[in-house]
Amino acid sequence: MCGAKAGGPDLAGVDVANETIIQGSVTRNDEPVNGYVRLLDENGEFTAEVPTSATGQFRFFARPGKWTLRALVPGATVDRQVVATQGEFTEVAIAV
């Protein structure tokens, strides 16, 4: 399941050692922002999109490697490059 649940990321039942997880939050002036986050591969091709939760959080399960996160919120689009590793969280804070 993609997307973080409202109230915080819940990983109950997820074998984190066998997953590659990219998660984080989108904020403006330190306040959560409602919008979408896209996951683009190393060639800039669209892979997935999730809405942010009420607290601005998002989550993707992906393969290890280089990715671009694109936050799409009213009045702003921000890209952030990340490198994800299996068995580790890639935690990303995106300020717009």
Side-chain angles (χ1 to χ4, degrees):
M1 177 175 155
C2 288
K5 296 179 182 178
D10 179 10
L11 290 171
V14 176
D15 183 0
V16 176
N18 291 318
E19 299 288 349
T20 303
I21 301 170
I22 303 169
Q23 67 181 21
S25 61
V26 181
T27 60
R28 177 180 286 141
N29 299 322
D30 295 322
E31 295 293 326
V33 179
N34 289 324
Y36 295 88
V37 179
R38 288 185 180 162
L39 184 67
L40 309 174
D41 70 12
E42 65 274 2
N43 298 313
E45 296 294 321
F46 175 86
T47 302
E49 181 177 273
V50 295
T52 59
S53 71
T55 56
Q57 296 173 323
F58 64 89
R59 176 183 297 137
F60 293 100
F61 291 86
R63 64 165 170 69
K66 295 179 183 179
W67 296 94
T68 298
L69 297 171
R70 178 168 291 157
L72 304 165
V73 301
T77 300
V78 175
D79 285 357
R80 179 71 50 93
Q81 281 71 41
V82 299
V83 177
T85 304
Q86 183 173 336
E88 296 181 14
F89 289 100
T90 302
E91 190 73 35
V92 183
I94 302 174
V96 295

Coordinates of all heavy atoms in Angstrom, one line a residue:
M1 N 0.8 -1.2 0.0 CA 0.0 0.0 0.0 C 0.9 1.2 0.0 O 1.8 1.4 0.8 CB -0.9 0.0 1.2 CG -1.7 1.2 1.4 SD -2.8 0.9 2.8 CE -3.1 2.6 3.2
C2 N 0.6 2.2 -0.9 CA 1.4 3.4 -0.9 C 0.7 4.5 -0.1 O -0.5 4.4 0.1 CB 1.5 3.9 -2.4 SG 2.6 2.9 -3.4
G3 N 1.4 5.4 0.3 CA 0.9 6.6 1.1 C 0.9 6.3 2.5 O 0.8 5.2 3.0
A4 N 1.2 7.4 3.3 CA 1.2 7.3 4.7 C -0.2 7.5 5.3 O -0.9 8.3 4.8 CB 2.2 8.3 5.3
K5 N -0.5 6.8 6.4 CA -1.8 7.0 7.0 C -1.7 8.3 7.8 O -0.7 8.7 8.4 CB -2.1 5.8 8.0 CG -2.2 4.5 7.2 CD -2.5 3.4 8.2 CE -2.6 2.1 7.6 NZ -2.8 1.0 8.5
A6 N -2.9 8.9 8.0 CA -3.0 10.1 8.8 C -2.6 9.8 10.2 O -2.9 8.7 10.7 CB -4.4 10.7 8.8
G7 N -1.8 10.6 10.8 CA -1.4 10.4 12.2 C 0.0 9.8 12.3 O 0.5 9.6 13.4
G8 N 0.6 9.5 11.2 CA 2.0 9.0 11.2 C 2.2 7.8 10.4 O 1.2 7.1 10.2
P9 N 3.4 7.5 10.1 CA 3.7 6.3 9.3 C 3.6 5.1 10.1 O 4.2 5.0 11.2 CB 5.1 6.5 8.8 CG 5.7 7.6 9.7 CD 4.6 8.4 10.3
D10 N 2.8 4.1 9.7 CA 2.5 2.9 10.4 C 3.2 1.8 9.6 O 2.8 1.5 8.5 CB 1.0 2.6 10.6 CG 0.7 1.3 11.3 OD1 1.6 0.7 11.8 OD2 -0.5 1.0 11.3
L11 N 4.2 1.1 10.2 CA 4.8 0.0 9.5 C 4.5 -1.4 10.2 O 5.3 -2.3 10.0 CB 6.4 0.3 9.6 CG 6.8 1.4 8.7 CD1 8.3 1.7 8.9 CD2 6.5 1.1 7.2
A12 N 3.4 -1.5 10.9 CA 3.0 -2.7 11.5 C 2.9 -3.8 10.3 O 2.2 -3.5 9.3 CB 1.7 -2.6 12.2
G13 N 3.5 -4.9 10.5 CA 3.4 -6.0 9.6 C 4.4 -5.9 8.4 O 4.3 -6.7 7.5
V14 N 5.2 -4.8 8.3 CA 6.1 -4.7 7.2 C 7.5 -5.2 7.6 O 8.0 -4.7 8.6 CB 6.2 -3.2 6.8 CG1 7.2 -3.0 5.7 CG2 4.8 -2.7 6.3
D15 N 8.1 -6.1 6.8 CA 9.4 -6.6 7.0 C 10.4 -5.5 6.5 O 10.8 -5.6 5.3 CB 9.6 -7.9 6.4 CG 11.0 -8.5 6.7 OD1 11.8 -7.9 7.4 OD2 11.2 -9.6 6.2
V16 N 10.8 -4.6 7.3 CA 11.6 -3.5 6.8 C 12.9 -3.9 6.2 O 13.4 -3.3 5.3 CB 11.8 -2.5 8.0 CG1 12.7 -1.3 7.5 CG2 10.5 -1.9 8.4
A17 N 13.5 -5.0 6.7 CA 14.8 -5.5 6.2 C 14.7 -5.9 4.8 O 15.7 -5.9 4.1 CB 15.2 -6.7 7.1
N18 N 13.5 -6.3 4.3 CA 13.4 -6.7 2.9 C 12.7 -5.7 2.0 O 12.4 -6.0 0.9 CB 12.5 -8.0 2.9 CG 13.3 -9.2 3.4 OD1 14.5 -9.3 3.2 ND2 12.6 -10.0 4.2
E19 N 12.6 -4.5 2.5 CA 11.9 -3.4 1.7 C 12.9 -2.3 1.5 O 13.8 -2.1 2.2 CB 10.7 -2.9 2.4 CG 9.6 -4.0 2.7 CD 8.9 -4.4 1.4 OE1 9.0 -3.7 0.3 OE2 8.1 -5.4 1.5
T20 N 12.6 -1.5 0.5 CA 13.2 -0.2 0.2 C 12.1 0.9 0.4 O 11.2 0.9 -0.4 CB 13.8 -0.2 -1.2 OG1 14.7 -1.3 -1.3 CG2 14.6 1.1 -1.4
I21 N 12.3 1.7 1.4 CA 11.2 2.6 1.8 C 11.7 4.0 1.7 O 12.7 4.4 2.3 CB 10.7 2.3 3.2 CG1 10.2 0.9 3.3 CG2 9.6 3.3 3.6 CD1 9.9 0.4 4.7
I22 N 10.9 4.8 0.9 CA 11.2 6.3 0.8 C 10.0 6.9 1.4 O 8.8 6.7 1.0 CB 11.3 6.7 -0.7 CG1 12.4 5.9 -1.4 CG2 11.6 8.2 -0.8 CD1 12.5 6.1 -2.9
Q23 N 10.2 7.7 2.4 CA 9.1 8.4 3.1 C 9.5 9.7 3.6 O 10.7 10.0 3.7 CB 8.5 7.5 4.3 CG 9.5 7.4 5.4 CD 8.9 6.5 6.5 OE1 8.0 5.7 6.3 NE2 9.4 6.7 7.7
G24 N 8.5 10.5 3.9 CA 8.8 11.9 4.5 C 7.6 12.7 4.6 O 6.5 12.2 4.7
S25 N 7.9 14.0 4.5 CA 6.7 15.0 4.7 C 7.0 16.2 3.8 O 8.1 16.5 3.4 CB 6.6 15.4 6.1 OG 7.8 16.0 6.6
V26 N 5.9 16.9 3.5 CA 5.9 18.1 2.7 C 5.3 19.2 3.6 O 4.3 19.1 4.2 CB 5.0 17.9 1.4 CG1 5.1 19.2 0.6 CG2 5.5 16.8 0.6
T27 N 6.1 20.3 3.7 CA 5.7 21.4 4.5 C 5.9 22.7 3.8 O 6.7 22.8 2.9 CB 6.5 21.4 5.9 OG1 7.9 21.5 5.6 CG2 6.3 20.2 6.7
R28 N 5.2 23.7 4.3 CA 5.4 25.1 3.9 C 5.4 25.9 5.2 O 4.4 25.8 6.0 CB 4.3 25.6 3.0 CG 4.4 27.1 2.6 CD 3.3 27.5 1.7 NE 3.5 27.0 0.3 CZ 2.6 26.5 -0.5 NH1 1.3 26.6 -0.1 NH2 2.8 26.1 -1.7
N29 N 6.5 26.6 5.5 CA 6.6 27.4 6.7 C 6.4 26.5 7.9 O 5.7 26.9 8.9 CB 5.6 28.6 6.7 CG 5.9 29.6 5.6 OD1 7.0 29.8 5.2 ND2 4.8 30.1 5.0
D30 N 7.0 25.3 7.9 CA 6.9 24.3 9.0 C 5.5 23.8 9.2 O 5.2 23.2 10.3 CB 7.5 24.9 10.3 CG 9.0 25.1 10.1 OD1 9.7 24.3 9.5 OD2 9.5 26.1 10.7
E31 N 4.5 24.0 8.3 CA 3.2 23.5 8.4 C 3.0 22.4 7.4 O 3.4 22.6 6.2 CB 2.1 24.6 8.3 CG 2.2 25.6 9.4 CD 1.8 25.1 10.7 OE1 0.9 24.2 10.8 OE2 2.4 25.5 11.8
P32 N 2.2 21.3 7.7 CA 2.0 20.3 6.6 C 1.2 20.9 5.5 O 0.4 21.8 5.6 CB 1.1 19.3 7.4 CG 0.8 19.8 8.7 CD 1.6 21.0 8.9
V33 N 1.5 20.4 4.3 CA 0.8 20.8 3.1 C 0.1 19.6 2.4 O 0.7 18.5 2.3 CB 1.9 21.4 2.0 CG1 1.2 21.8 0.8 CG2 2.6 22.5 2.7
N34 N -1.1 19.8 2.0 CA -1.9 18.8 1.2 C -1.5 18.9 -0.2 O -1.4 20.0 -0.7 CB -3.4 19.0 1.4 CG -3.8 18.6 2.8 OD1 -3.3 17.7 3.4 ND2 -4.8 19.4 3.3
G35 N -1.2 17.8 -0.8 CA -0.9 17.8 -2.2 C -0.5 16.4 -2.7 O -1.1 15.4 -2.1
Y36 N 0.4 16.3 -3.6 CA 0.8 14.9 -4.1 C 2.3 14.9 -4.2 O 3.0 15.9 -4.3 CB 0.2 14.7 -5.5 CG -1.3 14.6 -5.5 CD1 -2.1 15.8 -5.6 CD2 -1.9 13.4 -5.4 CE1 -3.5 15.7 -5.6 CE2 -3.3 13.3 -5.3 CZ -4.1 14.5 -5.5 OH -5.4 14.4 -5.4
V37 N 2.8 13.7 -4.1 CA 4.2 13.4 -4.3 C 4.4 12.4 -5.4 O 3.7 11.3 -5.3 CB 5.0 13.0 -3.0 CG1 6.4 12.8 -3.3 CG2 4.8 14.1 -1.9
R38 N 5.2 12.7 -6.4 CA 5.4 11.7 -7.5 C 6.8 11.1 -7.3 O 7.7 11.8 -6.8 CB 5.4 12.4 -8.9 CG 4.0 12.8 -9.3 CD 4.0 13.4 -10.7 NE 2.6 13.7 -11.0 CZ 2.3 14.5 -12.0 NH1 3.2 15.0 -12.7 NH2 1.0 14.7 -12.2
L39 N 6.9 9.9 -7.7 CA 8.2 9.2 -7.7 C 8.6 9.0 -9.2 O 7.9 8.4 -10.0 CB 8.0 7.8 -7.0 CG 9.3 6.9 -6.9 CD1 10.2 7.6 -5.9 CD2 8.9 5.5 -6.4
L40 N 9.8 9.6 -9.5 CA 10.3 9.5 -10.9 C 11.6 8.7 -10.8 O 12.4 8.8 -9.9 CB 10.6 10.9 -11.4 CG 9.5 11.9 -11.3 CD1 9.9 13.3 -11.7 CD2 8.3 11.5 -12.1
D41 N 11.8 7.8 -11.9 CA 13.0 7.0 -11.9 C 14.2 7.8 -12.3 O 14.1 9.0 -12.5 CB 12.8 5.7 -12.8 CG 12.7 6.1 -14.3 OD1 13.0 7.2 -14.7 OD2 12.3 5.2 -15.0
E42 N 15.3 7.1 -12.4 CA 16.6 7.9 -12.7 C 16.6 8.6 -14.1 O 17.4 9.4 -14.3 CB 17.8 6.9 -12.6 CG 17.8 5.8 -13.6 CD 17.1 4.6 -13.2 OE1 16.4 4.5 -12.1 OE2 17.1 3.6 -14.0
N43 N 15.6 8.2 -14.9 CA 15.5 8.8 -16.3 C 14.4 9.9 -16.2 O 14.1 10.5 -17.3 CB 15.2 7.8 -17.3 CG 16.3 6.8 -17.5 OD1 17.5 7.2 -17.5 ND2 16.0 5.5 -17.5
G44 N 13.8 10.2 -15.1 CA 12.8 11.2 -15.0 C 11.4 10.7 -15.4 O 10.5 11.4 -15.5
E45 N 11.3 9.3 -15.6 CA 10.0 8.8 -16.0 C 9.1 8.6 -14.8 O 9.6 8.1 -13.7 CB 10.2 7.4 -16.7 CG 11.0 7.5 -18.0 CD 10.2 8.3 -19.1 OE1 8.9 8.1 -19.1 OE2 10.8 9.1 -19.8
F46 N 7.8 8.8 -14.9 CA 6.8 8.7 -13.9 C 6.8 7.2 -13.5 O 6.7 6.3 -14.3 CB 5.5 9.1 -14.4 CG 4.4 8.9 -13.4 CD1 4.1 9.8 -12.4 CD2 3.6 7.7 -13.5 CE1 3.0 9.5 -11.5 CE2 2.6 7.5 -12.6 CZ 2.3 8.4 -11.6
T47 N 6.8 7.0 -12.1 CA 6.7 5.6 -11.6 C 5.4 5.5 -10.7 O 4.7 4.5 -10.8 CB 7.9 5.2 -10.8 OG1 9.1 5.4 -11.6 CG2 7.8 3.8 -10.2
A48 N 5.2 6.5 -9.9 CA 4.0 6.4 -8.9 C 3.7 7.8 -8.4 O 4.5 8.7 -8.5 CB 4.3 5.5 -7.8
E49 N 2.5 7.9 -7.9 CA 2.1 9.1 -7.2 C 1.2 8.8 -6.0 O 0.4 7.9 -6.1 CB 1.3 10.0 -8.2 CG 0.8 11.3 -7.7 CD 0.1 12.1 -8.7 OE1 0.8 12.9 -9.5 OE2 -1.1 12.0 -8.8
V50 N 1.4 9.5 -4.9 CA 0.5 9.4 -3.7 C 0.1 10.7 -3.2 O 0.9 11.7 -3.4 CB 1.3 8.6 -2.6 CG1 1.6 7.1 -3.0 CG2 2.5 9.3 -2.1
P51 N -1.1 10.8 -2.6 CA -1.4 12.0 -2.0 C -0.7 12.1 -0.6 O -0.4 11.1 0.0 CB -3.0 11.9 -1.8 CG -3.2 10.4 -1.7 CD -2.1 9.8 -2.6
T52 N -0.5 13.3 -0.2 CA 0.1 13.5 1.2 C -1.1 13.3 2.2 O -2.2 13.5 1.9 CB 0.7 14.9 1.4 OG1 -0.3 15.9 1.2 CG2 1.9 15.1 0.5
S53 N -0.7 12.8 3.4 CA -1.7 12.7 4.4 C -2.1 14.0 5.0 O -1.5 15.1 4.6 CB -1.2 11.8 5.5 OG -0.2 12.5 6.3
A54 N -3.0 14.0 5.9 CA -3.4 15.3 6.6 C -2.2 15.9 7.3 O -2.2 17.1 7.6 CB -4.5 15.0 7.6
T55 N -1.2 15.2 7.6 CA 0.0 15.7 8.3 C 1.2 15.9 7.3 O 2.3 16.1 7.7 CB 0.4 14.8 9.5 OG1 0.6 13.5 8.9 CG2 -0.6 14.7 10.5
G56 N 0.9 15.9 6.0 CA 1.9 16.1 5.0 C 2.8 15.0 4.7 O 3.7 15.1 3.9
Q57 N 2.5 13.8 5.2 CA 3.4 12.6 5.1 C 3.1 11.8 3.8 O 1.9 11.8 3.3 CB 3.3 11.7 6.3 CG 3.7 12.4 7.5 CD 3.5 11.6 8.8 OE1 2.5 10.9 8.9 NE2 4.4 11.7 9.7
F58 N 4.1 11.1 3.3 CA 4.0 10.3 2.1 C 4.9 9.1 2.3 O 5.9 9.1 3.1 CB 4.3 11.0 0.8 CG 5.7 11.5 0.8 CD1 6.7 10.7 0.3 CD2 6.1 12.7 1.3 CE1 8.1 11.1 0.2 CE2 7.4 13.2 1.2 CZ 8.4 12.4 0.7
R59 N 4.7 8.0 1.5 CA 5.6 6.8 1.6 C 5.5 6.1 0.2 O 4.4 6.0 -0.3 CB 5.1 5.9 2.7 CG 6.0 4.6 2.7 CD 5.6 3.6 3.7 NE 5.8 4.1 5.0 CZ 4.9 4.0 6.0 NH1 3.8 3.3 5.8 NH2 5.1 4.5 7.2
F60 N 6.7 5.6 -0.2 CA 6.8 4.8 -1.4 C 7.6 3.5 -1.0 O 8.5 3.6 -0.2 CB 7.5 5.5 -2.5 CG 6.8 6.6 -3.1 CD1 7.1 7.9 -2.8 CD2 5.7 6.4 -4.0 CE1 6.5 9.0 -3.3 CE2 5.1 7.5 -4.6 CZ 5.4 8.8 -4.2
F61 N 7.2 2.4 -1.6 CA 8.0 1.2 -1.5 C 8.6 1.1 -2.9 O 7.8 1.1 -3.9 CB 7.1 0.0 -1.2 CG 6.7 0.0 0.2 CD1 5.5 0.6 0.6 CD2 7.4 -0.7 1.2 CE1 5.0 0.6 1.9 CE2 6.9 -0.7 2.5 CZ 5.8 0.0 2.9
A62 N 9.9 1.1 -3.0 CA 10.5 1.1 -4.3 C 11.7 0.2 -4.4 O 12.0 -0.5 -3.4 CB 11.0 2.6 -4.6
R63 N 12.3 0.1 -5.5 CA 13.6 -0.7 -5.7 C 14.7 0.2 -5.2 O 14.6 1.4 -5.2 CB 13.8 -1.2 -7.1 CG 14.0 0.0 -8.1 CD 14.5 -0.5 -9.4 NE 14.5 0.6 -10.4 CZ 15.2 1.6 -10.3 NH1 16.1 1.8 -9.4 NH2 15.1 2.6 -11.3
P64 N 15.8 -0.4 -4.8 CA 17.0 0.4 -4.4 C 17.5 1.2 -5.7 O 17.4 0.7 -6.8 CB 18.0 -0.7 -4.0 CG 17.2 -1.9 -3.7 CD 16.1 -1.9 -4.6
G65 N 18.0 2.4 -5.4 CA 18.6 3.2 -6.5 C 18.3 4.6 -6.3 O 17.8 5.1 -5.3
K66 N 18.6 5.3 -7.4 CA 18.4 6.8 -7.5 C 16.9 7.1 -7.9 O 16.4 6.5 -8.9 CB 19.3 7.4 -8.5 CG 20.8 7.3 -8.1 CD 21.7 7.9 -9.1 CE 23.1 7.7 -8.7 NZ 24.0 8.3 -9.7
W67 N 16.3 8.1 -7.3 CA 15.0 8.5 -7.5 C 14.8 10.0 -7.4 O 15.6 10.6 -6.7 CB 14.0 7.8 -6.5 CG 13.9 6.4 -6.6 CD1 14.6 5.5 -5.8 CD2 13.1 5.6 -7.5 NE1 14.3 4.2 -6.2 CE2 13.4 4.2 -7.2 CE3 12.2 5.9 -8.4 CZ2 12.7 3.2 -7.8 CZ3 11.5 4.9 -9.1 CH2 11.8 3.5 -8.8
T68 N 13.8 10.5 -8.0 CA 13.4 11.9 -7.8 C 12.0 12.0 -7.2 O 11.1 11.3 -7.7 CB 13.4 12.7 -9.2 OG1 14.8 12.7 -9.7 CG2 13.0 14.1 -8.9
L69 N 11.9 12.7 -6.2 CA 10.6 13.0 -5.6 C 10.1 14.3 -6.0 O 10.9 15.3 -6.0 CB 10.6 12.9 -4.0 CG 11.1 11.6 -3.4 CD1 11.3 11.8 -1.9 CD2 10.0 10.6 -3.7
R70 N 8.9 14.4 -6.6 CA 8.4 15.7 -7.0 C 7.1 16.0 -6.2 O 6.1 15.3 -6.3 CB 8.0 15.6 -8.5 CG 7.4 16.9 -9.0 CD 7.3 16.9 -10.5 NE 8.7 17.0 -11.0 CZ 9.1 16.6 -12.3 NH1 8.2 16.1 -13.1 NH2 10.3 16.8 -12.7
A71 N 7.2 17.0 -5.3 CA 6.1 17.5 -4.6 C 5.3 18.5 -5.4 O 5.8 19.4 -5.9 CB 6.6 18.2 -3.3
L72 N 4.0 18.2 -5.5 CA 3.0 19.0 -6.2 C 2.0 19.5 -5.3 O 1.2 18.8 -4.8 CB 2.4 18.2 -7.3 CG 3.3 17.5 -8.3 CD1 2.6 16.5 -9.1 CD2 3.9 18.5 -9.2
V73 N 2.1 20.8 -5.0 CA 1.2 21.4 -4.0 C 0.7 22.7 -4.6 O 1.3 23.3 -5.5 CB 1.8 21.7 -2.6 CG1 2.4 20.4 -2.0 CG2 3.0 22.7 -2.7
P74 N -0.4 23.3 -4.1 CA -0.9 24.5 -4.7 C 0.2 25.6 -4.7 O 0.7 25.9 -3.6 CB -2.1 24.9 -3.7 CG -2.6 23.6 -3.2 CD -1.3 22.7 -3.1
G75 N 0.5 26.1 -5.8 CA 1.4 27.2 -5.9 C 2.9 26.8 -6.0 O 3.7 27.7 -6.1
A76 N 3.2 25.5 -5.9 CA 4.6 25.1 -5.9 C 4.8 23.7 -6.5 O 4.0 22.8 -6.3 CB 5.2 25.2 -4.6
T77 N 6.0 23.5 -7.1 CA 6.4 22.2 -7.5 C 7.9 22.1 -7.1 O 8.7 23.0 -7.5 CB 6.3 21.9 -9.0 OG1 4.9 22.0 -9.3 CG2 6.8 20.6 -9.4
V78 N 8.3 21.1 -6.3 CA 9.7 21.0 -5.8 C 10.2 19.6 -6.1 O 9.5 18.6 -5.7 CB 9.8 21.3 -4.3 CG1 11.2 21.1 -3.8 CG2 9.3 22.7 -4.0
D79 N 11.4 19.5 -6.7 CA 12.0 18.2 -6.9 C 13.1 18.0 -5.8 O 13.8 18.9 -5.5 CB 12.7 18.1 -8.3 CG 11.6 17.9 -9.4 OD1 10.4 17.8 -9.1 OD2 12.1 17.9 -10.6
R80 N 13.3 16.7 -5.4 CA 14.3 16.3 -4.5 C 14.8 15.0 -4.9 O 14.1 14.0 -5.1 CB 13.7 16.2 -3.1 CG 14.6 15.8 -2.0 CD 15.6 16.9 -1.6 NE 15.1 18.2 -1.4 CZ 14.7 18.7 -0.2 NH1 14.8 17.9 0.9 NH2 14.2 19.9 -0.1
Q81 N 16.2 14.9 -5.2 CA 16.8 13.6 -5.5 C 17.2 12.8 -4.3 O 17.6 13.4 -3.3 CB 18.1 13.9 -6.4 CG 17.8 14.2 -7.8 CD 17.2 15.5 -8.0 OE1 17.6 16.5 -7.4 NE2 16.2 15.6 -8.9
V82 N 17.0 11.5 -4.3 CA 17.3 10.6 -3.2 C 17.9 9.4 -3.7 O 17.7 9.0 -4.9 CB 16.1 10.3 -2.4 CG1 15.4 11.5 -1.8 CG2 15.0 9.5 -3.2
V83 N 18.7 8.7 -2.9 CA 19.2 7.3 -3.2 C 18.6 6.4 -2.1 O 18.9 6.7 -0.9 CB 20.7 7.3 -3.2 CG1 21.2 5.9 -3.4 CG2 21.3 8.3 -4.2
A84 N 17.9 5.4 -2.5 CA 17.2 4.5 -1.6 C 18.0 3.2 -1.5 O 18.5 2.7 -2.5 CB 15.8 4.2 -2.0
T85 N 18.1 2.6 -0.3 CA 18.8 1.4 -0.1 C 17.9 0.4 0.6 O 17.2 0.7 1.5 CB 20.0 1.7 0.9 OG1 20.8 2.7 0.3 CG2 20.9 0.4 1.1
Q86 N 18.0 -0.8 0.1 CA 17.1 -1.9 0.7 C 17.5 -2.1 2.2 O 18.6 -2.0 2.6 CB 17.3 -3.2 0.0 CG 16.4 -4.3 0.6 CD 16.4 -5.6 -0.3 OE1 16.8 -5.5 -1.4 NE2 16.1 -6.7 0.4
G87 N 16.4 -2.2 3.0 CA 16.6 -2.4 4.5 C 16.8 -1.2 5.3 O 17.0 -1.2 6.5
E88 N 16.7 0.0 4.6 CA 16.9 1.3 5.3 C 15.8 2.2 4.9 O 15.2 2.1 3.8 CB 18.2 1.9 4.9 CG 19.4 1.1 5.3 CD 20.7 1.8 4.9 OE1 20.7 3.0 4.6 OE2 21.8 1.2 5.0
F89 N 15.4 3.1 5.8 CA 14.5 4.2 5.5 C 15.2 5.3 4.8 O 16.3 5.6 5.2 CB 13.9 4.8 6.7 CG 12.9 3.9 7.4 CD1 13.3 3.1 8.5 CD2 11.6 3.8 7.0 CE1 12.4 2.3 9.2 CE2 10.7 3.0 7.6 CZ 11.1 2.2 8.7
T90 N 14.6 5.8 3.7 CA 15.1 7.0 3.2 C 14.1 8.1 3.6 O 13.0 8.1 3.1 CB 15.3 7.0 1.6 OG1 16.2 5.9 1.3 CG2 15.8 8.3 1.0
E91 N 14.5 8.9 4.5 CA 13.6 9.9 5.1 C 13.9 11.3 4.4 O 15.0 11.7 4.4 CB 13.8 10.0 6.6 CG 12.8 10.9 7.3 CD 11.5 10.2 7.5 OE1 11.4 8.9 7.6 OE2 10.4 10.9 7.4
V92 N 12.8 11.9 3.9 CA 13.0 13.1 3.1 C 12.0 14.2 3.6 O 10.8 13.9 3.7 CB 12.7 12.9 1.6 CG1 13.0 14.1 0.8 CG2 13.6 11.7 1.1
A93 N 12.5 15.3 3.9 CA 11.7 16.5 4.3 C 11.7 17.4 3.1 O 12.8 17.9 2.7 CB 12.2 17.2 5.5
I94 N 10.5 17.7 2.5 CA 10.4 18.6 1.4 C 9.7 19.9 1.8 O 8.6 19.9 2.2 CB 9.7 18.0 0.2 CG1 10.3 16.6 -0.2 CG2 9.6 18.9 -1.0 CD1 9.6 15.8 -1.2
A95 N 10.5 21.0 1.8 CA 9.9 22.3 2.1 C 9.6 23.0 0.8 O 10.4 23.1 -0.1 CB 10.9 23.1 2.9
V96 N 8.4 23.5 0.7 CA 7.9 24.2 -0.5 C 7.7 25.7 -0.3 O 7.6 26.1 0.9 CB 6.7 23.6 -1.1 CG1 7.0 22.2 -1.6 CG2 5.5 23.6 -0.2

